[in-house]
Amino acid sequence: MIVIPASQRFEGKIRDLILDSTSSFRELTLYGKRIFLTDSVPENQAEMVGMEAILMENGLYSRKMKAERTTVEVGGVTVGGTGLVIAAGPCAVESEDQIMEIAESVRHLGADMLRGGAFKPRTTPYSFQGLGKEGVKLLRRASDATGLPVVSEIMDISDYPIFADDVDMLQVGSRNSQNFSMLKFLGKTAKPVLLKNGMGNTVSEWLNSAEYLLSGGNGNVVMCYRGTRGFEDGTRFTMDIGVMPVLRDKTHLPVCADPSHPAGNRAYVESMALAAVVSGVDMLEIEVHNDPAHALSDAKQQLTVEEFAVLSKNARKLRDSLQK
Amino acid sequence: MIVIPASQRFEGKIRDLILDSTSSFRELTLYGKRIFLTDSVPENQAEMVGMEAILMENGLYSRKMKAERTTVEVGGVTVGGTGLVIAAGPCAVESEDQIMEIAESVRHLGADMLRGGAFKPRTTPYSFQGLGKEGVKLLRRASDATGLPVVSEIMDISDYPIFADDVDMLQVGSRNSQNFSMLKFLGKTAKPVLLKNGMGNTVSEWLNSAEYLLSGGNGNVVMCYRGTRGFEDGTRFTMDIGVMPVLRDKTHLPVCADPSHPAGNRAYVESMALAAVVSGVDMLEIEVHNDPAHALSDAKQQLTVEEFAVLSKNARKLRDSLQK
Amino acid sequence: MIVIPASQRFEGKIRDLILDSTSSFRELTLYGKRIFLTDSVPENQAEMVGMEAILMENGLYSRKMKAERTTVEVGGVTVGGTGLVIAAGPCAVESEDQIMEIAESVRHLGADMLRGGAFKPRTTPYSFQGLGKEGVKLLRRASDATGLPVVSEIMDISDYPIFADDVDMLQVGSRNSQNFSMLKFLGKTAKPVLLKNGMGNTVSEWLNSAEYLLSGGNGNVVMCYRGTRGFEDGTRFTMDIGVMPVLRDKTHLPVCADPSHPAGNRAYVESMALAAVVSGVDMLEIEVHNDPAHALSDAKQQLTVEEFAVLSKNARKLRDSLQK
Amino acid sequence: MIVIPASQRFEGKIRDLILDSTSSFRELTLYGKRIFLTDSVPENQAEMVGMEAILMENGLYSRKMKAERTTVEVGGVTVGGTGLVIAAGPCAVESEDQIMEIAESVRHLGADMLRGGAFKPRTTPYSFQGLGKEGVKLLRRASDATGLPVVSEIMDISDYPIFADDVDMLQVGSRNSQNFSMLKFLGKTAKPVLLKNGMGNTVSEWLNSAEYLLSGGNGNVVMCYRGTRGFEDGTRFTMDIGVMPVLRDKTHLPVCADPSHPAGNRAYVESMALAAVVSGVDMLEIEVHNDPAHALSDAKQQLTVEEFAVLSKNARKLRDSLQK
């Protein structure tokens, strides 16, 4: 049971009541609020409700827990504020020249953040697995040169030390979206997390993955939708745009869309990105490559720099027009 | 095999070539072009290609057949032109008062067309099945009073005489999207058709349903996306926004979106409608009721008149901003 | 509301009670029981319940309506009895020689019924559409020659006169599984119906399609599962074997499985057929062709006569071993 | 590129050829064969093919790599041999009494292996997470008492030392089926692995997860199908029985079915288990509890001991009848 005192003044009394009950509990601080997590329903819950504490079974992610929308700071960039945050970069870091060139390009074209994979979750073991630690170092160098904070996927918590200093935001990919061991670990850090949905998961299951992070005390979570599995063969994944208002309804967490993966085809990325912008996303994550035809992964869906220039301009313009 | 002469000048020569071959054929006129449908690949196809005729196995719906986008005229309203067409109205016609009141309201709020079900495909036989013929008459009256052309679903070709005069656009619903007998019949009329996708069909299958209409000679087809079956339980159906650029890529036919059915919840309809507008749809079909709580069907997803006012205004504004 | 008197003795009293109420109603006889369908909940329902009448909102298909399993007679063959009924034959009737040869073969190999398509629902209008009326005549001839009753798909109720005399069981295909106009029409006949599931429908929706037939008074319905849409690309459709115990739980109607369509590959058909037999189906429908490589449709999934011989023998043997 | 010498005699020559080429490579031994994994296509591949080496891009799991079926030894039990292996036990180990009682019961009723979760991947962090290390110890004790080898899920490679001695077979659950870091780690051990399919994955993707294990040198892999995500709401997951012949066609690895999770309802488990047996699975994994109504997880789908007795007997009988 989640017990949230109505205000700081009542924390002590609520704690005393829980201590009086037969429930065990632990405490955490999330978004500046003191929260008690009990292992059962306290017998004296009525007294807590009487003090206007909120008691609920689940949902630190929910708007019942926190009505106002959350913002997440990533290396000086605010996700969830008034501006649209655009993270752009290659599917995978392939070389120093490649990442430096792309980073400079996307910065010039208005990106706020650099994305790039160093550890790559590839369907087969014989596909390019990323540069690993060296890739992270290159991302850092590109970040330092451009001032863009970096988001990159972590596939194994034993790699955490590599990411801790050099990566500003940790991406948890679709294939690890229900890797609860990893989520528990990251929940105990304060690192911003970009949490993708599992391709076979519902929104409700995905929010529960976020709950693993939040209940550890890490509130710096951005939900990133990358499409779900469906039967349509004209695209790579199904981008269910109804997910956006559902998320807006059910959580205070900021929302990102990754249109590159569901599109699976560069010709469709911009259209799907703009649909996400209209749906109110706080952030876009876009795959951009300086030479997509020769990319070592996701060759078909990475945008050219020129295509990204158009997308970036149109996304900003659209966001502005929505805020008038 | 579809054989399309490069221009009118070559029609005679192409016909002669096909007559010389061993293929049987029939002719039709579509979008002002003479088209030959042969039952096999003519041996002398090389000569036709030499005259720049287009030969293809399938795809009167395709942009190879017709590069420029198609427009469909519905009672004085143009679908597929520069303006966004909004059809609004109740799930089902329930009474004269109801349909007259809603028709007046949506006309005032900027709807271009009136929608309303008279014959209703309900999952169970004990749910309200619609007013039938009487419902069509009421729609006609509402149309005459407001000047809004009417779109309504036909469930059986034996009802065609009822629709022929009084309904401006025939809706073929999701459950009849692969009712090929009905499509063949409607293909021989010139009636505008609003063709919904089957909930278990791919875009490619859906376009082939349109091909049944086009190959009969009826080019007045608007593709209306109403969501597909998925596993997400936060909405009623999955609204795969990637379908929009795929359609734009593969067909010259105008595109409509019905966000009411995939939303299944009035709170989500506007968000999903605006996403469709950004994706470039030519038309929206929205369920609006004067008293949704007491509607005889789809109570949860029909908008109030006030909600429709907001959606309509925002959709127009968005469409305008995209055209600047 | 469905009202079912506890026994014949109470019919008159129940009718009087309904007449006393403000509900309108109609009567039908189904499985020898008199049933009243009211348009609302009768105010005096408590009195009916007091007489042990069953009142329920839905489910003439349900085991609450009828605990014992239903049998359907098709030209002398009983579906739903102790024996496994196997219907076999080509996807489409292609010629007299073809259908006669196949019919003789499958009869020799133990088939109980002949299947064959005369009117074919093909995804594109340019694929072979079947021989139509002539195909039905050929089926009749093959039936007369072999003694096997015939099941064939009806795509349009205007074709009903063609089927009425010459076809023993009408197949309603996946694409017309929610063609409620057709179902209502067939509900008023006494013809056995093989009702396939819509590829995007749940079991619950499918049972409601059966309800359209039953509520018209036609209880001769066999539910035929042909797979659902899924994302697996190793087969053509998803054969959800969990559907079988769900049907067994929810309905008294006999169950058939069509493993040919979900397999989409002749190598997988037998395995999937035997799984259905173990799951307790009453009937199998198998596509068999004398020359699959040159079949005009479904070439990859039709069995050769030799493959059918193996399947038929193994299915019978398995069924026998289950009944020991 | 995978390079497999035709026989041991040619290993040296193949190695020399690869050393002569510009490809880098590593070697491994799998199923007694020496295999070379190169990072590119060797220029001199024609010479290798001339020596009847098999070269292929992917598929240590495939029947091209190994025609005969693989057997996996688990604590004295052979999976993939002539007998059907049944693993049974609770969803989660809850206490010493519980696991000891269930282990004794299922052993008496013919189980070959004991299953039980110690580390539980639960959708929400507030659900019972398992007894962890203590749970593993209890499983060991139950195993020692009954002689049944134990299969249990590992959620984090840092827990490997806990499993190494005390658990006979490591289960990789649906949520970690594409946790490639874990798979790479386990690929370097010789521990038998029960690899479940990801609920949103195709068979092809799942086999590629197995490839991560095999390419590390661990050939002791059993593929366990636990259903996929679908839209049917009458069961918990979709048990696509077509997966079975597809696996049989594409891989030499033994196959297990877990009918408990797709059923989601104890009433449907036996039917789905028997369908899997007919489909030729080598192993069943069944959730059994001594008091399902009070189970701390999966209460609805765990069988009672009595229900398991029936399933076990019927599965054995069916397997026997198939082998006659």
Side-chain angles (χ1 to χ4, degrees):
Chain A
M1 184 68 78
I2 300 168
V3 185
I4 309 172
S7 79
Q8 221 171 324
R9 285 197 306 133
F10 293 108
E11 274 176 32
K13 291 192 179 170
I14 295 290
R15 186 182 293 105
D16 290 344
L17 281 170
I18 299 178
L19 285 166
D20 282 351
S21 80
T22 58
S23 298
S24 304
F25 71 106
R26 65 183 178 86
E27 304 189 27
L28 80 154
T29 301
L30 191 68
Y31 308 121
K33 295 184 192 173
R34 200 68 186 163
I35 291 169
F36 303 89
L37 299 175
T38 69
D39 68 342
S40 60
V41 180
E43 313 84 82
N44 51 4
Q45 59 164 322
E47 290 179 63
M48 302 181 199
V49 173
M51 275 188 257
E52 293 178 16
I54 295 170
L55 280 86
M56 53 188 188
E57 287 210 9
N58 192 10
L60 295 172
Y61 61 75
S62 72
R63 304 194 65 180
K64 188 172 172 192
M65 146 74 186
K66 182 166 178 287
E68 70 280 16
R69 308 212 70 80
T70 291
T71 57
V72 175
E73 299 296 315
V74 183
V77 170
T78 302
V79 181
T82 50
L84 175 70
V85 172
I86 302 180
C91 175
V93 181
E94 298 171 7
S95 70
E96 179 157 10
D97 284 357
Q98 178 238 25
I99 191 65
M100 293 302 271
E101 183 181 331
I102 296 173
E104 287 293 354
S105 296
V106 299
R107 185 182 64 86
H108 267 103
L109 296 169
D112 306 286
M113 223 184 278
L114 178 65
R115 67 144 284 150
F119 295 85
K120 298 294 306 168
R122 304 303 301 282
T123 303
T124 90
Y126 311 124
S127 299
F128 175 57
Q129 305 276 313
L131 298 182
K133 192 173 175 175
E134 174 61 16
V136 172
K137 289 293 169 202
L138 295 178
L139 280 171
R140 185 72 261 140
R141 223 167 293 164
S143 173
D144 291 344
T146 56
L148 299 178
V150 159
V151 55
S152 192
E153 177 163 355
I154 184 166
M155 285 178 60
D156 193 334
I157 54 183
S158 70
D159 296 327
Y160 184 74
I162 300 173
F163 284 77
D165 289 336
D166 288 342
V167 170
D168 301 282
M169 184 176 218
L170 303 181
Q171 180 168 307
V172 174
S174 183
R175 291 163 186 79
N176 284 304
S177 189
Q178 292 196 306
N179 179 341
F180 301 131
S181 293
M182 183 186 277
L183 296 173
K184 281 184 183 174
F185 177 91
L186 297 177
K188 286 176 201 143
T189 75
K191 270 285 185 195
V193 175
L194 189 69
L195 177 64
K196 298 222 167 173
N197 63 302
M199 62 187 86
N201 288 129
T202 61
V203 169
S204 167
E205 289 168 335
W206 182 22
L207 288 169
N208 278 310
S209 287
E211 191 81 359
Y212 271 94
L213 295 164
L214 300 178
S215 63
N218 186 349
N220 297 314
V221 179
V222 177
M223 307 294 285
C224 183
Y225 182 64
R226 50 79 75 210
T228 29
R229 207 86 214 207
F231 58 75
E232 173 57 39
D233 54 10
T235 49
R236 190 170 171 196
F237 290 98
T238 291
M239 184 166 172
D240 180 2
I241 206 71
V243 161
M244 301 303 167
V246 172
L247 282 175
R248 208 81 187 164
D249 193 25
K250 295 201 174 158
T251 185
H252 54 80
L253 294 169
V255 176
C256 174
D258 159 8
S260 302
H261 284 86
N265 180 331
R266 72 175 51 83
Y268 304 154
V269 173
E270 187 190 340
S271 172
M272 292 159 82
L274 298 183
V277 171
V278 162
S279 301
V281 296
D282 303 290
M283 178 174 168
L284 289 175
E285 188 184 29
I286 309 288
E287 289 192 349
V288 181
H289 198 281
N290 53 348
D291 184 10
H294 297 96
L296 298 180
S297 55
D298 284 358
K300 284 169 66 180
Q301 78 201 26
Q302 299 200 57
L303 297 189
T304 62
V305 169
E306 293 70 28
E307 288 163 336
F308 175 68
V310 175
L311 181 154
S312 174
K313 200 183 112 205
N314 287 339
R316 300 284 183 205
K317 197 178 122 194
L318 178 56
R319 174 78 168 210
D320 288 348
S321 80
L322 295 171
Q323 283 170 339
K324 274 175 198 160
Chain B
M1 185 68 77
I2 300 169
V3 185
I4 310 173
S7 78
Q8 218 170 330
R9 283 196 308 133
F10 293 107
E11 275 176 32
K13 289 190 180 172
I14 295 291
R15 185 182 295 104
D16 290 345
L17 281 170
I18 299 177
L19 285 166
D20 281 351
S21 79
T22 57
S23 298
S24 303
F25 72 105
R26 66 183 177 86
E27 304 188 28
L28 79 153
T29 300
L30 191 67
Y31 308 120
K33 294 183 194 173
R34 200 66 187 166
I35 291 168
F36 302 89
L37 299 176
T38 68
D39 67 344
S40 59
V41 181
E43 313 84 81
N44 52 3
Q45 61 164 321
E47 291 180 63
M48 301 181 200
V49 173
M51 275 188 258
E52 294 177 16
I54 295 170
L55 281 86
M56 52 189 188
E57 286 209 9
N58 192 9
L60 295 172
Y61 61 74
S62 73
R63 304 193 66 180
K64 186 171 172 193
M65 146 75 186
K66 181 164 178 288
E68 69 280 17
R69 307 210 71 80
T70 291
T71 57
V72 175
E73 299 296 316
V74 183
V77 171
T78 302
V79 181
T82 49
L84 174 71
V85 172
I86 302 180
C91 175
V93 180
E94 298 171 5
S95 69
E96 179 156 10
D97 283 357
Q98 176 238 27
I99 191 65
M100 293 302 271
E101 182 181 331
I102 296 174
E104 288 291 354
S105 296
V106 298
R107 185 182 66 85
H108 267 102
L109 296 169
D112 305 286
M113 224 184 277
L114 178 66
R115 67 143 285 150
F119 295 85
K120 298 296 305 168
R122 304 304 301 281
T123 302
T124 89
Y126 311 124
S127 300
F128 175 56
Q129 305 277 312
L131 298 181
K133 191 173 176 174
E134 174 61 15
V136 171
K137 290 292 169 202
L138 295 178
L139 280 171
R140 184 72 259 142
R141 223 167 292 164
S143 173
D144 291 343
T146 57
L148 298 178
V150 159
V151 55
S152 191
E153 177 164 354
I154 183 166
M155 285 179 60
D156 193 332
I157 54 184
S158 70
D159 296 327
Y160 184 74
I162 301 173
F163 284 76
D165 288 335
D166 288 342
V167 171
D168 301 283
M169 184 177 216
L170 302 182
Q171 181 169 306
V172 174
S174 184
R175 291 163 186 80
N176 283 304
S177 189
Q178 292 195 307
N179 179 340
F180 301 132
S181 292
M182 183 186 278
L183 295 174
K184 281 184 183 175
F185 177 91
L186 297 178
K188 286 177 200 142
T189 74
K191 269 285 184 196
V193 174
L194 190 69
L195 178 64
K196 299 220 166 173
N197 63 302
M199 60 185 87
N201 289 129
T202 61
V203 169
S204 168
E205 290 169 334
W206 182 22
L207 287 169
N208 278 309
S209 287
E211 192 80 1
Y212 271 94
L213 295 164
L214 299 180
S215 64
N218 186 349
N220 297 314
V221 178
V222 177
M223 306 294 286
C224 183
Y225 183 63
R226 50 82 73 209
T228 30
R229 207 89 214 204
F231 57 76
E232 173 57 38
D233 54 10
T235 48
R236 188 169 174 198
F237 291 98
T238 292
M239 184 165 171
D240 180 1
I241 205 71
V243 161
M244 300 303 168
V246 172
L247 282 175
R248 209 79 186 166
D249 195 25
K250 294 202 175 159
T251 185
H252 53 79
L253 294 170
V255 176
C256 174
D258 159 7
S260 302
H261 284 85
N265 180 332
R266 71 174 54 84
Y268 303 154
V269 174
E270 186 190 340
S271 173
M272 292 160 81
L274 298 184
V277 171
V278 162
S279 301
V281 297
D282 304 290
M283 177 173 170
L284 288 175
E285 189 184 29
I286 309 288
E287 289 191 350
V288 181
H289 198 281
N290 53 347
D291 184 10
H294 297 96
L296 297 180
S297 54
D298 284 356
K300 285 171 63 181
Q301 78 201 25
Q302 300 200 56
L303 298 189
T304 62
V305 169
E306 292 70 28
E307 288 164 334
F308 176 68
V310 176
L311 182 153
S312 174
K313 199 183 113 205
N314 287 339
R316 300 283 184 204
K317 196 178 124 193
L318 178 57
R319 174 77 169 213
D320 288 347
S321 80
L322 294 171
Q323 284 171 339
K324 274 175 199 159
Chain C
M1 188 66 81
I2 300 168
V3 185
I4 310 173
S7 78
Q8 219 172 326
R9 285 196 306 132
F10 293 107
E11 274 177 32
K13 290 192 179 168
I14 294 291
R15 185 183 294 106
D16 290 344
L17 281 170
I18 299 178
L19 284 166
D20 282 352
S21 80
T22 58
S23 298
S24 304
F25 71 105
R26 65 184 178 85
E27 303 188 29
L28 79 153
T29 301
L30 191 66
Y31 308 120
K33 294 183 192 173
R34 199 69 186 163
I35 292 168
F36 303 88
L37 299 175
T38 68
D39 67 344
S40 59
V41 181
E43 311 85 81
N44 51 2
Q45 59 166 320
E47 291 180 63
M48 301 181 199
V49 174
M51 275 188 256
E52 293 178 18
I54 296 170
L55 280 85
M56 54 187 187
E57 286 209 9
N58 193 9
L60 294 173
Y61 61 76
S62 72
R63 303 193 66 180
K64 187 172 171 191
M65 147 74 186
K66 180 165 179 288
E68 69 280 15
R69 309 211 69 81
T70 292
T71 57
V72 175
E73 298 296 317
V74 183
V77 171
T78 302
V79 182
T82 49
L84 174 69
V85 172
I86 302 181
C91 175
V93 180
E94 298 171 6
S95 69
E96 179 157 9
D97 283 356
Q98 177 239 25
I99 192 65
M100 293 301 272
E101 183 181 333
I102 296 173
E104 288 292 353
S105 296
V106 299
R107 185 181 64 87
H108 267 102
L109 298 168
D112 305 286
M113 223 184 278
L114 178 66
R115 65 144 285 150
F119 294 85
K120 298 295 306 169
R122 304 304 302 280
T123 303
T124 89
Y126 312 125
S127 300
F128 175 57
Q129 305 277 312
L131 297 181
K133 190 172 176 174
E134 175 61 16
V136 172
K137 290 292 170 202
L138 296 178
L139 281 170
R140 185 72 262 139
R141 224 166 293 165
S143 174
D144 291 344
T146 57
L148 299 178
V150 159
V151 55
S152 192
E153 178 165 355
I154 184 166
M155 287 179 59
D156 193 333
I157 53 183
S158 70
D159 296 327
Y160 183 75
I162 300 173
F163 285 76
D165 288 336
D166 288 341
V167 171
D168 301 282
M169 183 178 218
L170 302 182
Q171 181 169 306
V172 174
S174 185
R175 292 162 186 81
N176 284 305
S177 188
Q178 292 195 307
N179 179 342
F180 301 130
S181 293
M182 183 186 279
L183 296 173
K184 281 184 185 174
F185 177 91
L186 297 177
K188 287 178 201 141
T189 74
K191 268 285 184 196
V193 174
L194 190 68
L195 178 64
K196 297 220 167 174
N197 65 302
M199 60 186 88
N201 288 128
T202 60
V203 169
S204 167
E205 290 168 336
W206 182 24
L207 287 169
N208 277 309
S209 288
E211 191 80 0
Y212 271 94
L213 295 164
L214 300 179
S215 64
N218 186 348
N220 297 314
V221 179
V222 177
M223 307 294 285
C224 183
Y225 183 63
R226 50 81 72 208
T228 31
R229 207 87 214 205
F231 57 76
E232 173 57 39
D233 54 11
T235 48
R236 188 171 174 195
F237 290 98
T238 291
M239 185 164 172
D240 181 1
I241 205 72
V243 160
M244 301 303 167
V246 172
L247 282 175
R248 209 80 186 163
D249 195 25
K250 295 200 174 161
T251 186
H252 54 78
L253 294 169
V255 176
C256 174
D258 159 8
S260 302
H261 284 86
N265 180 332
R266 72 174 53 83
Y268 304 154
V269 172
E270 186 190 342
S271 172
M272 293 159 81
L274 298 184
V277 171
V278 163
S279 300
V281 296
D282 304 290
M283 175 175 171
L284 288 176
E285 189 186 27
I286 309 288
E287 288 190 351
V288 181
H289 197 280
N290 53 347
D291 184 10
H294 296 97
L296 297 180
S297 54
D298 285 357
K300 285 169 65 183
Q301 79 201 25
Q302 300 199 57
L303 298 189
T304 61
V305 169
E306 291 70 28
E307 288 163 335
F308 175 69
V310 177
L311 181 152
S312 174
K313 199 184 113 206
N314 287 339
R316 300 284 182 204
K317 195 178 124 194
L318 178 57
R319 175 77 170 213
D320 288 348
S321 80
L322 295 171
Q323 282 169 339
K324 274 176 200 161
Chain D
M1 184 67 79
I2 299 168
V3 185
I4 309 172
S7 78
Q8 219 170 326
R9 286 197 304 131
F10 293 109
E11 274 176 32
K13 290 192 179 168
I14 294 289
R15 185 182 295 106
D16 290 345
L17 281 170
I18 299 178
L19 284 165
D20 282 350
S21 80
T22 58
S23 299
S24 303
F25 73 105
R26 65 184 178 84
E27 303 187 28
L28 79 154
T29 301
L30 191 67
Y31 307 120
K33 294 183 193 175
R34 199 68 185 163
I35 292 169
F36 303 88
L37 299 175
T38 68
D39 67 343
S40 59
V41 180
E43 312 84 83
N44 52 3
Q45 60 164 321
E47 290 179 63
M48 300 180 200
V49 173
M51 274 187 258
E52 292 179 16
I54 295 170
L55 280 86
M56 53 186 187
E57 287 209 7
N58 192 9
L60 295 172
Y61 61 75
S62 72
R63 304 194 65 180
K64 188 174 172 190
M65 147 74 185
K66 182 166 179 286
E68 69 279 18
R69 309 211 68 82
T70 291
T71 57
V72 175
E73 298 297 315
V74 183
V77 171
T78 302
V79 182
T82 49
L84 174 70
V85 172
I86 302 181
C91 175
V93 181
E94 298 171 6
S95 70
E96 180 157 8
D97 284 357
Q98 176 237 26
I99 192 65
M100 293 301 271
E101 181 179 334
I102 296 173
E104 288 293 354
S105 296
V106 298
R107 185 182 65 87
H108 267 103
L109 297 168
D112 306 286
M113 224 184 277
L114 178 65
R115 66 143 285 150
F119 295 85
K120 298 295 306 167
R122 303 302 302 279
T123 302
T124 89
Y126 312 124
S127 299
F128 175 57
Q129 306 277 312
L131 298 181
K133 192 173 175 173
E134 174 62 15
V136 172
K137 290 291 169 204
L138 296 178
L139 281 170
R140 185 73 260 140
R141 223 167 293 163
S143 173
D144 291 344
T146 57
L148 299 178
V150 158
V151 54
S152 192
E153 177 164 353
I154 183 165
M155 285 178 62
D156 193 333
I157 54 182
S158 70
D159 296 327
Y160 183 74
I162 300 172
F163 285 76
D165 288 337
D166 288 342
V167 171
D168 301 283
M169 185 178 216
L170 303 181
Q171 181 168 308
V172 174
S174 185
R175 292 162 185 80
N176 283 305
S177 188
Q178 292 195 305
N179 180 342
F180 300 130
S181 292
M182 183 185 279
L183 296 174
K184 281 183 185 175
F185 177 90
L186 297 178
K188 285 176 202 141
T189 75
K191 269 283 185 198
V193 174
L194 190 68
L195 177 64
K196 298 222 168 172
N197 64 302
M199 62 185 86
N201 288 129
T202 61
V203 168
S204 168
E205 290 168 336
W206 181 23
L207 287 170
N208 278 309
S209 287
E211 191 80 1
Y212 271 93
L213 295 164
L214 300 179
S215 63
N218 186 349
N220 297 315
V221 178
V222 177
M223 307 295 285
C224 182
Y225 183 63
R226 48 81 74 211
T228 30
R229 207 87 215 207
F231 57 77
E232 174 56 40
D233 53 11
T235 48
R236 189 170 173 197
F237 290 99
T238 291
M239 185 166 172
D240 180 2
I241 205 72
V243 161
M244 301 303 168
V246 172
L247 283 174
R248 209 81 187 163
D249 193 25
K250 295 200 175 160
T251 185
H252 54 80
L253 295 169
V255 176
C256 173
D258 159 7
S260 302
H261 284 87
N265 181 331
R266 74 173 51 83
Y268 305 154
V269 173
E270 186 190 341
S271 172
M272 291 159 82
L274 297 184
V277 171
V278 163
S279 301
V281 297
D282 304 290
M283 176 175 169
L284 288 175
E285 190 185 27
I286 308 288
E287 289 191 349
V288 180
H289 198 281
N290 52 348
D291 184 10
H294 296 97
L296 298 179
S297 53
D298 285 357
K300 285 169 65 180
Q301 78 201 25
Q302 299 199 57
L303 297 190
T304 62
V305 169
E306 292 70 28
E307 288 163 336
F308 175 69
V310 176
L311 180 152
S312 175
K313 198 183 114 205
N314 287 339
R316 300 283 183 205
K317 194 177 125 193
L318 178 56
R319 175 78 168 211
D320 288 348
S321 81
L322 294 171
Q323 283 169 340
K324 274 173 197 161

